[in-house]
Amino acid sequence: MKNEQAILLTGGAGYIGSHTFVALHEAGFAPVILDDFSNSHPAVLDRLERITGRAPVLERGNVLDTAFVEAVLRRHRIAGVVHFAGSKAVGESVAQPLKYFGNNIGGAISLLRAMEAVFLGPGSWAPPTLVFSSSATVYGDPATVPITEDFPRSHTNPYGHTKLVIEDMLAAVRQAQPAWRVGVLRYFNPVGAHASGLIGEDPAGIPNNLMPYVTQVAVGLRPQLSVFGGDYPTPDGTGVRDYIHVDDLAAGHVAALRALSSGASFTVNLGTGQGYSVLQVVRAFEQASGRKVPYQVVARRAGDVAQCYADPSLAKRVLGWQARKGLEEMCADAWRWQSGNPKGYAT
Ligand code: WQD
């Protein structure tokens, strides 16, 4: 029998967490999901079992419950933690800032306290090892593109502010206790779904992000896409982003855990390095799906930037990782998921 390392995935039932579950399983790890299903669906567990042939180990609860997290770490003799759990809707964070500061910063503090007690306390079996889901949002409105990790950071909404504060908190903890091994992953724009079509993005309510909006228009749930801004200083006037297939992103977490096992901490961009405009995405999606996506160009969305794409070369050097899947595959996989599950996991 393989000696599998147990990895705790907080928020492991969510969009990126569930894809990372599959990637870790395939890489020979034993992932354990901690989730309270506040923004995910228990049906994902069944789907994960169908993909991996193994019923996922679930610990149902909230990261804010430090004693619970501590017990979970001990129960499964966890070797490393990937911290996905958190609230992630930019607009909601402006309306409900305390929800975001409480869940995201409070959640991170709770998790770090539990990890400190277990991994730096008596009877520890491993160094405290953490991979954190950060975001390209920490670059605010970048002065130039592509973006390297040493670009100045800023925030324009409470969601982004929480990512920045947590990054700083992790740096301070590492400085105080050098035994910590911390990998900070700054995601660009994750899209797509597992090739099986069994798991994918299932946003609650009206999607905030482009790809799920496009797929919901294509499947007939919404009449048309509003393209936010046609007058940006970009080739076709619409916003340019670095869309990355969620499977590539998941592979980045496996690579991050492997890199941390040799000790050094890091902060890296996870992107493709290639920017696409909103209209390029719409066209690629129409090609991949064979469906029309009616759209109308409307005013810019407050807080949006013209262009945002990564220089992913540091991740290649530090993790030996690079994105492999192109826009066509992202669109085809997003469509397979949406068309097979028109109402998401509730279908
Ligand atoms: C992409 C492009 C829009 C919707 C946000 C957060 C970031 C991260 C991911 C997550 C932009 C345009 C979108 C629509 C449109 N957070 N668009 N019509 O804004 O790059 O990043 O989500 O956890 O922190 O800021 O992603 O998918 O919302 O937008 O025209 O209905 O699509 O203007 O150019 P964004 P997005």
Side-chain angles (χ1 to χ4, degrees), residues 16 87-90 135-138 157 159-160 163 187-191 207-214 225-229 232 238-243 276-278 296 298 300-301 303-306 308:
I16 301 169
S87 302
K88 62 171 186 178
V90 172
S135 167
T137 193
V138 300
N157 57 69
Y159 163 76
K163 293 293 178 190
Y187 308 156
F188 279 68
N189 291 60
V191 296
N208 298 303
N209 297 116
L210 177 64
M211 187 63 87
Y213 208 104
V214 166
L225 171 73
S226 296
V227 174
F228 299 141
Y232 283 109
T238 66
V240 168
R241 296 291 183 275
D242 187 338
Y243 298 94
Y276 289 105
S277 74
V278 176
Q296 185 183 11
V298 301
R300 294 180 180 190
R301 180 172 66 180
D304 273 359
V305 303
C308 177

Side-chain angles (χ1 to χ4, degrees), residues 101-305:
F101 290 114
N103 284 351
N104 294 5
I105 298 178
I109 292 173
S110 172
L111 172 65
L112 292 170
R113 285 212 166 114
M115 289 180 70
E116 180 179 62
V118 169
F119 297 112
L120 295 176
S124 166
W125 57 86
T129 303
L130 178 69
V131 175
F132 173 61
S133 303
S134 190
S135 167
T137 193
V138 300
Y139 297 117
D141 192 354
T144 56
V145 279
I147 300 168
T148 52
E149 288 80 356
D150 55 359
F151 270 37
R153 297 172 314 149
S154 63
H155 57 84
T156 53
N157 57 69
Y159 163 76
H161 198 171
T162 66
K163 293 293 178 190
L164 210 139
V165 169
I166 297 166
E167 284 196 358
D168 288 345
M169 225 163 61
L170 291 171
V173 166
R174 268 203 316 119
Q175 190 150 26
Q177 298 164 329
W180 277 86
R181 298 173 176 189
V182 178
V184 172
L185 305 180
R186 293 181 179 153
Y187 308 156
F188 279 68
N189 291 60
V191 296
H194 189 259
S196 63
L198 288 168
I199 57 173
E201 189 171 11
D202 183 15
I206 301 171
N208 298 303
N209 297 116
L210 177 64
M211 187 63 87
Y213 208 104
V214 166
T215 62
Q216 291 195 6
V217 170
V219 85
L221 288 173
R222 303 188 187 278
Q224 66 171 11
L225 171 73
S226 296
V227 174
F228 299 141
D231 57 352
Y232 283 109
T234 58
D236 66 17
T238 66
V240 168
R241 296 291 183 275
D242 187 338
Y243 298 94
I244 175 169
H245 196 296
V246 66
D247 282 344
D248 279 330
L249 202 67
H253 294 74
V254 177
L257 283 164
R258 288 201 172 119
L260 288 177
S261 68
S262 58
S265 295
F266 50 81
T267 296
V268 297
N269 290 337
L270 293 187
T272 66
Q274 167 80 53
Y276 289 105
S277 74
V278 176
L279 293 182
Q280 283 177 308
V281 171
V282 169
R283 272 184 230 111
F285 184 84
E286 288 182 332
Q287 279 279 319
S289 66
R291 295 283 176 109
K292 240 8 236 169
V293 178
Y295 69 84
Q296 185 183 11
V297 178
V298 301
R300 294 180 180 190
R301 180 172 66 180
D304 273 359
V305 303

